Amino acid sequence: MNQMQSVNQWDVFEVVIDGPSLNNPFIDASIEATFSYGHREVPVKGFYDGEGNKHSWRVRFMPDTLGEWSFRISSNIPALDGKQGTFRCTAARPGKHGPVRVRNQFHFAHADGTPYLPFGTTCYAWTHQPLPMQTQTLAALKASGFNKIRMGVFPKHYIYNDNEALMPMFQVSADGKEDFDRPNVAAFRHLDQQVVALRELGVEADIILFHPYDRWGYCAMGEASDHRYLRYLVARLAAYANVWWSLANEYDFLLDVKPVAYWDGLFHVVEECDPYRHLKSIHNGNPLQMYDHRKPWVDHVCVQNWDVKRTAEWRQTWGKPIVNDEPEYEGNIPRPWGNISARELVHRYWITVLRGGYCGHGETFMHDEDLLWWAKGGELRGESWKRIAFMRKLLEEDVQRGLTPYLPPSLGGTRGEWSRVSGAQDGDVRYLYFGEHQPVQSAAGLPKDDGDYEIDLIDTWEMTVTPMDRAPLPVSPALRGANGVVHNTEPEAAFGVRLPGKPWQAVRVRRRN
């Protein structure tokens, strides 16, 4: 145990210790390590990872500081207690920037300061599908440009998703029922492996801890089992840099078994067991049944709502980053939440982002074998993902601190245009999105000074960027008197732009250095 090892910053250092056979090693043994760097100490929970005749425990640690670390194991089992050692943390691997944190109140960045703009998708039960389909999902993610995925720990029982899971999440007793106090190590190891696979693709894993779509009893295990499950899961996954915690998908559909105060307690269990303070939130089903995201243990607002023009309002209400992970899905199933067009989903992405939030993708196309991306992953069949990847590439070229939206008068702004169209700014770059509107000229949101600006027309559907020249300011006929005199005395901008007179257009304005 005393041989010096090394691990890259924000990767995983793991201690594995063999121990004795116990009646229930998940309950009978407690194990924890204290990792030390100078005077700093970080307590980290361990977990049982044995199978058959192999009785082993693991402690995983994600070092965030370069240099020499030491650790000491403590346990109520003498054979596990007292082990100690050292290791060296070396520079992060290329492209690895550490866990994502909230930055500038409404936005995100990695631990090393690299900006992070979430462009996520949903595949609730992809890790519970046949292994070839899981491989296909990872390949699709790699090609897609998505950098976050919402995914459940547990399998899902719902329309288009009633197949058997890959394996049970807990050990099956002689009566055929799962024992919620005995996790199925093989199932959780598989989850580990897929979270690591996502990390290597640069994809954040937004882990959904509970959901109501369940025929196995996972959503109603009882308080003691819920807490033990959370402690086990967090001990296994927290050392992976790309983990987020979502306490639930549609938590309000579980209020009969988990009232609001109960959810508060589950947040505290996760906080207690996660020394890295990964991002935490909770997802609503009914837009009128929102959790109080002002609570200090909630890091960002995870919302389900089709009315994306309210994004700036939600920012003001909650004072935290807004991630609308379900603004409805591209698809053609009978349910209205799953049959909007690709154009409409791309439209909602642009509105959400230019009103200061972040948006999520999902696909729900009918399939003879019920292979819907939103539930099972596999193959992307729609058209929105390409346009979303295009949008991500554009914004990542410019956005450093995060976009601040232009506000309508109802939210403290001065111009009524921003109730209908969307615009935002980050330093010397601004984006204007006209959406369903199709003007032939505009000055809304353009600079008031006559500086040197680069102006581009963006066709959000055709995925083109076309340089533009500035044009004279447009003047509304309503502002002219009978003698043709213009009555507006305070121009809204120093110049205007001419537009193609069709919907789904955006304008980017950047000051030249």
Side-chain angles (χ1 to χ4, degrees):
M1 300 292 293
N2 293 316
Q3 181 180 357
M4 178 70 76
Q5 302 177 56
S6 66
V7 63
N8 296 104
Q9 187 181 29
W10 299 308
D11 276 357
V12 178
F13 177 79
E14 187 169 78
V15 182
V16 184
I17 307 174
D18 292 333
S21 175
L22 302 173
N23 178 52
N24 186 344
F26 300 99
I27 294 177
D28 298 340
S30 64
I31 183 170
E32 182 175 289
T34 300
F35 288 83
S36 301
Y37 182 92
H39 296 294
R40 178 185 173 202
E41 293 187 341
V42 183
V44 178
K45 304 291 186 184
F47 58 94
Y48 182 70
D49 196 49
E51 281 186 296
N53 295 323
K54 179 72 170 177
H55 307 293
S56 58
W57 284 258
R58 295 178 186 265
V59 181
R60 291 173 175 159
F61 179 64
M62 178 181 63
D64 58 3
T65 305
L66 304 184
E68 186 173 323
W69 289 78
S70 63
F71 66 88
R72 182 181 178 88
I73 303 292
S74 58
S75 174
N76 64 328
I77 305 299
L80 307 178
D81 188 54
K83 308 294 183 183
Q84 55 187 315
T86 59
F87 68 94
R88 182 170 299 279
C89 176
T90 58
R93 290 184 287 149
K96 304 304 177 188
H97 303 291
V100 174
R101 311 293 190 207
V102 172
R103 188 179 71 162
N104 301 328
Q105 185 178 358
F106 296 109
H107 302 288
F108 302 98
H110 289 277
D112 70 351
T114 302
Y116 174 77
L117 283 64
F119 283 84
T121 188
T122 293
C123 294
Y124 287 121
W126 78 275
T127 62
H128 297 282
Q129 308 311 312
L131 293 177
M133 190 173 186
Q134 295 188 39
T135 299
Q136 186 182 34
T137 301
L138 291 168
L141 285 171
K142 183 177 181 179
S144 70
F146 291 121
N147 61 6
K148 185 170 85 73
I149 185 171
R150 296 176 68 220
M151 53 185 281
V153 174
F154 296 124
K156 188 172 183 178
H157 178 70
Y158 193 53
I159 53 173
Y160 316 114
N161 194 186
D162 58 4
N163 58 302
E164 289 300 321
L166 187 65
M167 62 186 92
M169 296 305 295
F170 296 89
Q171 296 176 27
V172 178
S173 303
D175 62 1
K177 297 181 180 179
E178 293 183 47
D179 182 347
F180 298 139
D181 291 331
R182 294 178 182 270
N184 179 2
V185 169
F188 282 90
R189 278 183 187 163
H190 178 69
L191 180 60
D192 295 347
Q193 293 164 5
Q194 299 302 53
V195 170
V196 170
L198 293 171
R199 182 190 66 183
E200 297 310 295
L201 293 177
V203 176
E204 301 292 303
D206 196 351
I207 307 291
I208 299 168
L209 304 178
F210 295 96
H211 67 74
Y213 305 105
D214 172 42
R215 66 172 183 263
W216 303 272
Y218 301 138
C219 67
M221 296 186 291
E223 184 173 17
S225 293
D226 281 351
H227 286 200
R228 279 194 284 267
Y229 148 68
L230 286 180
R231 291 190 176 100
Y232 184 75
L233 180 75
V234 174
R236 291 197 73 107
L237 294 184
Y240 298 126
N242 62 321
V243 163
W244 299 26
W245 307 119
S246 178
L247 268 289
N249 184 60
E250 299 177 338
Y251 87 99
D252 43 318
F253 297 160
L254 283 171
L255 288 176
D256 56 337
V257 293
K258 289 177 170 54
V260 171
Y262 192 98
W263 289 111
D264 294 346
L266 296 181
F267 268 106
H268 296 325
V269 172
V270 173
E271 280 194 318
E272 170 197 338
C273 298
D274 179 4
Y276 316 104
R277 304 284 297 185
H278 287 293
L279 295 171
K280 301 180 301 302
S281 192
I282 189 167
H283 179 84
N284 65 288
N286 184 343
L288 302 179
Q289 190 68 58
M290 294 291 292
Y291 187 84
D292 184 358
H293 292 89
R294 292 169 295 187
K295 294 177 179 180
W297 46 84
V298 181
D299 296 300
H300 61 285
V301 180
C302 178
V303 65
Q304 172 186 164
N305 200 310
W306 61 270
D307 192 3
V308 295
K309 288 191 175 180
R310 295 180 59 197
T311 301
E313 171 196 333
W314 299 329
R315 276 175 46 121
Q316 290 199 357
T317 298
W318 304 113
K320 294 180 181 180
I322 302 296
V323 183
N324 191 344
D325 277 310
E326 194 175 329
E328 299 183 331
Y329 298 137
E330 176 190 2
N332 58 10
I333 65 173
R335 303 296 178 90
W337 51 260
N339 58 27
I340 66 172
S341 69
R343 287 180 186 266
E344 179 63 21
L345 182 54
V346 173
H347 173 56
R348 294 184 190 185
Y349 248 87
W350 277 89
I351 291 174
T352 300
V353 173
L354 295 196
R355 293 185 180 224
Y358 299 94
C359 198
H361 162 274
E363 269 191 19
T364 45
F365 286 99
M366 296 288 288
H367 189 279
D368 290 342
E369 300 176 38
D370 287 345
L371 303 182
L372 283 68
W373 173 267
W374 138 92
K376 300 178 181 179
E379 178 184 353
L380 284 161
R381 298 181 172 86
E383 292 296 327
S384 65
W385 68 268
K386 303 169 191 175
R387 279 82 187 173
I388 294 167
F390 168 73
M391 181 186 187
R392 176 188 169 189
K393 182 177 183 298
L394 285 177
L395 294 180
E396 287 185 343
E397 290 177 3
D398 297 308
V399 176
Q400 294 297 313
R401 291 183 54 82
L403 289 168
T404 299
Y406 301 142
L407 299 176
S410 61
L411 297 178
T414 59
R415 301 199 65 87
E417 286 93 339
W418 308 117
S419 297
R420 295 177 172 85
V421 299
S422 305
Q425 186 169 348
D426 180 21
D428 285 335
V429 63
R430 62 189 71 197
Y431 282 84
L432 314 169
Y433 176 61
F434 300 97
E436 69 272 29
H437 302 279
Q438 46 187 12
V440 295
Q441 56 181 350
S442 178
L446 295 177
K448 292 188 175 183
D449 68 281
D450 196 24
D452 186 13
Y453 290 97
E454 174 186 326
I455 311 168
D456 294 299
L457 176 69
I458 300 167
D459 190 309
T460 66
W461 183 256
E462 298 297 335
M463 299 182 287
T464 58
V465 179
T466 306
M468 303 174 68
D469 294 324
R470 60 178 68 192
L473 285 172
V475 177
S476 170
L479 297 177
R480 293 187 185 274
N483 59 358
V485 176
V486 178
H487 294 293
N488 57 328
T489 58
E490 185 181 351
E492 61 184 296
F495 54 87
V497 290
R498 290 192 176 93
L499 298 166
K502 63 180 183 179
W504 327 127
Q505 306 301 297
V507 170
R508 178 178 63 188
V509 182
R510 298 188 285 195
R511 186 187 294 272
R512 290 191 175 97
N513 294 327

